[in-house]
Amino acid sequence: MRYLATVGGQEHEIEIEELAADSFAIRFGENRFEADLRRVGPLSFSVIVNHRSFDFDVARDGEETVVASRSRSTRLTVADPARRTARAAGKRRELSGRVEIKSAMPGRIVNVLVAPGDEVKAEQGIIIVEAMKMENEVKAPKAGKVVEVKVVAGQTVEKGQLMIVIE
């Protein structure tokens, strides 16, 4: 998955590929490295890169993510390029009709925030998925009615697996 991260006002392109459980290939600009990443607490992670170990905590603060290590903390924003471009242009993708929300990557369902029959607003959180050691809120791409919920909390999902249908 590709992301744009903004740190200290500078943008960086990041590409993350899951190689195996807890193992990731990360490209940061022109640099590429492999990392072993493990969650060691609710907000705490341990990563091993080139035989060096780093521990840090990650927390959300509005649109920003705060990464804190023993020596310092860094605030950053992370977004996929397409969404960021659309937001910057003030454009919102207009969707109509039946929309199937599928898992973007393998993960575990932490919480399902809606049920069949619920009315949802565009951008309303509908599912919390843990993937790559982070919890991600999946938002409704359009306003509508939830007609199917195909997952439950605690269930694992594969990339592309149908989770919710909104009409």
Side-chain angles (χ1 to χ4, degrees):
M1 299 200 60
R2 296 177 65 186
Y3 300 96
L4 284 176
T6 304
V7 182
Q10 292 190 329
E11 291 185 353
H12 305 275
E13 187 173 300
I14 301 172
E15 188 170 333
I16 300 172
E17 176 185 357
E18 187 171 4
L19 302 173
D22 304 321
S23 179
F24 300 91
I26 301 169
R27 188 178 60 76
F28 188 86
E30 298 300 318
N31 300 313
R32 184 183 185 280
F33 54 91
E34 292 186 9
D36 180 85
L37 177 67
R38 295 173 194 260
R39 175 176 257 171
V40 294
L43 300 174
S44 301
F45 297 87
S46 177
V47 62
I48 299 173
V49 178
N50 294 331
H51 307 290
R52 293 184 63 198
S53 177
F54 305 92
D55 297 319
F56 56 92
D57 294 327
V58 177
R60 290 241 174 167
D61 184 15
E63 291 288 317
E64 293 183 314
T65 300
V66 180
V67 179
S69 66
R70 290 182 195 154
S71 60
R72 69 181 197 178
S73 67
T74 302
R75 290 182 168 269
L76 61 122
T77 57
V78 179
D80 69 79
R83 181 175 288 176
R84 186 180 181 126
T85 300
R87 283 186 180 169
K91 296 179 182 174
R92 178 170 245 159
R93 202 172 47 165
E94 294 294 329
L95 297 175
S96 61
R98 179 184 172 100
V99 175
E100 295 182 342
I101 291 94
K102 298 179 180 178
S103 176
M105 64 181 71
R108 183 180 63 84
I109 304 297
V110 175
N111 197 3
V112 179
L113 306 173
V114 294
D118 286 356
E119 294 288 334
V120 295
K121 297 176 183 172
E123 298 296 317
Q124 177 182 334
I126 55 176
I127 294 179
I128 309 267
V129 180
E130 179 184 288
M132 298 173 60
K133 312 298 180 194
M134 297 178 65
E135 290 186 2
N136 301 289
E137 184 178 56
V138 177
K139 296 181 178 183
K142 65 171 238 172
K145 183 177 184 177
V146 176
V147 293
E148 292 181 60
V149 176
K150 299 286 200 181
V151 294
V152 296
Q155 176 183 347
T156 58
V157 292
E158 297 297 324
K159 181 179 180 180
Q161 184 173 339
L162 180 62
M163 298 188 297
I164 287 184
V165 177
I166 298 173
E167 289 186 343

